[in-house]
Amino acid sequence: MARIIAVANQKGGVGKTTTAINLASCLAVAEQKTLLIDVDPQANSTSGVGLNKGDLEMSIYDVFIGRKPLLDVIIPTELSFLNVAPSSISLVGAEVEMVSMMSREKILSRAVAPIIDLYDYIIADCPPSLGLLTVNALTAADSVLIPIQCEYYALEGLGQLLHTIKLVQENLNSSLEIEGVLLTMYDRRLNLSRQVAEEARKFFNSRVYETVINRNVRLSEAPSFGKPIILYDILSSGAENYMALTKEVLSR
């Protein structure tokens, strides 16, 4: 049975999609059958694994509105152990269409149930908001991984995210846990990065991963080539960081 991890933070630009793509890819390289579900209307996880958003006939949008089962929209990638349920811009309107649906917060949870035994890990990339799409991902998930960038205002807004997680635990998914907190865009030369890391470790204690994701040009370049970092430049520090994170996730 798959372990389902939602990658969530309502702040944009924190490395959420980069983490979803590269964690999923590294799990696949470790021969874990992995499904990456792109729940973000921007569809960056979709293009980041080499799929052309314009060529897709179906996407996760069709699942949310009840047009297709999840199995029908899953597409293989060039990594043999990694599949993706792609997103599209159509997902922008899904939250409005879902308002009148019964148990609308559990649409993704119900969709995942028939395929959960086909995978070892399911990684859900959430949009940078705390709307219905993110709530669906949290309701379906076993745990949530929270990326935090090592920059000014890094911890701002986390209270709102933690409050949402608590509401989901109380009302929709009592078994939801915090998988871990991941420090991204870390620059060891900057006092600011070290200060943010200290604050995060004070607040979250052992939930903060030992691995940090360093600032890395190759990691930033990889999405424009439609490749996860391990296929774009396996010798880069970005690849090294995400492989180390994957070891931590597997060990937990």
Side-chain angles (χ1 to χ4, degrees), residues 146-207:
I146 306 170
I148 298 175
Q149 84 282 32
C150 294
E151 295 178 352
Y152 284 112
Y153 309 122
L155 303 180
E156 189 178 79
L158 271 188
Q160 191 180 358
L161 174 60
L162 295 174
H163 179 63
T164 300
I165 291 169
K166 186 180 178 186
L167 288 175
V168 170
Q169 289 169 329
E170 290 173 351
N171 299 289
L172 297 164
N173 180 4
S174 60
S175 61
L176 180 67
E177 301 173 347
I178 292 180
E179 177 75 22
V181 174
L182 178 67
L183 298 168
T184 65
M185 305 177 199
Y186 187 85
D187 188 336
R188 65 185 73 253
R189 298 168 300 178
L190 300 178
N191 284 334
L192 178 61
S193 285
R194 293 194 292 273
Q195 287 166 5
V196 171
E198 280 175 25
E199 283 184 43
R201 290 196 166 101
K202 272 184 203 168
F203 189 78
F204 289 103
N205 301 312
S206 61
R207 288 173 172 169

Side-chain angles (χ1 to χ4, degrees), residues 23 70 127 141 147 154-155 172 189 246 248:
L23 174 58
L70 181 55
L155 303 180
L172 297 164
R189 298 168 300 178
T246 302
E248 279 199 69

